[in-house]
Amino acid sequence: YLKISSPALNQDAFGAMGVGGGQVSFDLDSWSNANGPHAMREILARVLRLLEREDLTLEQHTMVKGSLHCPLSTVFEEPDADMPEQRLYHGHMEWTIDVEEAG
C-alpha cells in the first residue's frame, strides 16, 4: 500500500519579485511483501512516471507549473512486525513542490 505524509511548507525556500511562496515537501512510503525488492522498484518507477512534473491543485497556494519533483527514491528491506519470518520491502520517495501565495 501507499502512504502520503502530511505536507510541510518551507517559506524560506522560494519566492521571487516580492511574491510570497515556498516549497512544500512530502514523503510517499510504500510496502510490499513480494519476493525481492524488484517489485517495489517497479511500483516506485510507476509512481514517478505518473507524478513527476505534473501539476496539482492546491488549497492555499498556487503551484509553480511543472515543479512537482522527486529528488530521492529508495527501496530497503525491513522486518514484518506481523510475520517475523517474512521481510517487507519499503519504498520511500521524497517529493517537493514550489508554490506561490494564492492571489
Side-chain angles (χ1 to χ4, degrees):
Y1 66 91
L2 299 174
K3 177 186 171 196
I4 298 175
S5 70
S6 295
L9 173 63
N10 178 355
Q11 292 180 314
D12 294 331
F14 181 79
M17 295 187 282
V19 176
Q23 188 172 73
V24 173
S25 60
F26 65 92
D27 296 335
L28 189 148
D29 288 283
S30 53
W31 292 267
S32 171
N33 62 358
N35 294 330
H38 182 70
M40 181 53 63
R41 286 191 188 101
E42 286 181 359
I43 292 168
L44 296 185
R46 176 128 172 98
V47 170
L48 185 68
R49 283 192 306 274
L50 290 171
L51 293 180
E52 183 77 9
R53 303 292 178 204
E54 289 296 316
D55 295 329
L56 304 176
T57 302
L58 306 174
E59 288 184 18
Q60 298 177 355
H61 293 87
T62 301
M63 178 179 172
V64 174
K65 191 166 183 65
S67 68
L68 179 60
H69 176 62
C70 176
L72 176 71
S73 177
T74 186
V75 174
F76 53 93
E77 213 177 283
E78 64 183 39
D80 185 337
D82 296 328
M83 297 183 191
E85 69 281 357
Q86 290 190 6
R87 306 299 286 172
L88 289 177
Y89 296 94
H90 182 165
H92 177 78
M93 302 176 93
E94 293 178 6
W95 289 87
T96 62
I97 307 169
D98 294 331
V99 297
E100 297 173 339
E101 288 180 349

